[in-house]
Amino acid sequence: MSRRRVKPSLYISVDVEADGPVPGPYSMISFGAAVAGRQDADGFTPTDPEEHTFYRELRPISDEFDPRALAVSGLDRDRLCREGADPAAALAEFTAWVGEVSTGTQPVVCGYPVAFDWMFLYWYLVRFTGGSPFGHSGCMDMKSLYAAKAGLPLRAVAKGTMPRHLLSRRRHTHHALDDAVEQAELFANLMRWEGPDT
């Protein structure tokens, strides 16, 4: 297949806050998404990560939770039980939003690291909507991307060891939308970075 005929990718930075380590027994209590950029045969084009965003706080799906995990987000679980969005409705709205922003492209989730966020998001999408607009493997890990470009073992990588010019200037707040926007900026910087000498 010609490089010119490959469908472009639209990268969507996603951040998840949860009240435990795995979906099912525990709940995704909020998630945020921000469009980070588009890649086609001519390269990567970043977007303003605040231009196209999505955020929901969700009603928990079980009574189980880990107080330490819950404390990370600072969200009030009792309030979410009363006022959080129904997961089926929220995930259907998210799927529709992904469809709108990714017209003509293939949407890809990106995260730092992506494993935790993808695990929750994919599980919720399949459980509550019956499928995923990203397919079963449409995700990219920023930590792996940096390790490959920097020539480092994956477990040696941490944000604190990255060159400062790659990092977003935004604070990591553990508010899912704030962190999705911050990660979108990191992703755009990583995609344009050619390696340790640049």
Side-chain angles (χ1 to χ4, degrees), residues 146 162-168 185-187 189-190 193:
Y146 175 76
M162 290 183 176
R164 284 180 96 65
H165 70 273
L166 294 177
L167 301 174
S168 170
E185 292 183 343
L186 171 61
F187 182 77
N189 291 341
L190 286 171
W193 187 53

Side-chain angles (χ1 to χ4, degrees), residues 123-137:
W123 189 95
Y124 265 71
L125 283 165
V126 172
R127 171 69 180 80
F128 292 107
T129 72
S132 164
F134 308 100
H136 70 278
S137 62

Side-chain angles (χ1 to χ4, degrees), residues 14-173:
V14 172
D15 186 76
V16 164
E17 298 298 330
D19 63 11
V22 293
Y26 301 98
S27 304
M28 178 166 72
I29 52 176
S30 70
F31 70 108
V35 174
R38 183 178 188 274
Q39 185 180 25
D40 57 23
D42 295 321
F44 176 77
T45 305
T47 60
D48 176 354
E50 293 184 313
E51 187 175 346
H52 299 291
T53 63
F54 186 94
Y55 177 72
R56 291 292 183 277
E57 295 178 359
L58 305 178
R59 187 172 64 237
I61 60 171
S62 81
D63 293 332
E64 289 187 55
F65 67 96
D66 179 340
R68 292 167 300 175
L70 186 62
V72 170
S73 70
L75 291 171
D76 182 328
R77 197 169 193 280
D78 290 337
R79 180 184 65 78
L80 293 176
C81 288
R82 294 189 312 270
E83 302 172 8
D86 171 68
L91 273 295
E93 290 168 0
F94 177 66
T95 298
W97 177 82
V98 171
E100 290 170 14
V101 298
S102 65
T103 301
T105 67
Q106 293 180 310
V108 177
V109 168
C110 57
Y112 184 98
V114 80
F116 179 85
D117 306 281
W118 175 258
M119 172 177 59
F120 271 92
L121 182 64
Y122 182 74
W123 189 95
Y124 265 71
L125 283 165
V126 172
R127 171 69 180 80
F128 292 107
T129 72
S132 164
F134 308 100
H136 70 278
S137 62
C139 62
M140 182 181 279
D141 179 40
M142 295 183 210
K143 194 170 184 175
S144 300
L145 177 62
Y146 175 76
K149 287 193 170 192
L152 293 171
L154 182 64
R155 298 304 290 268
V157 172
K159 282 186 184 176
T161 64
M162 290 183 176
R164 284 180 96 65
H165 70 273
L166 294 177
L167 301 174
S168 170
R169 293 183 179 168
R170 300 172 191 266
R171 287 179 52 244
H172 194 78
T173 65

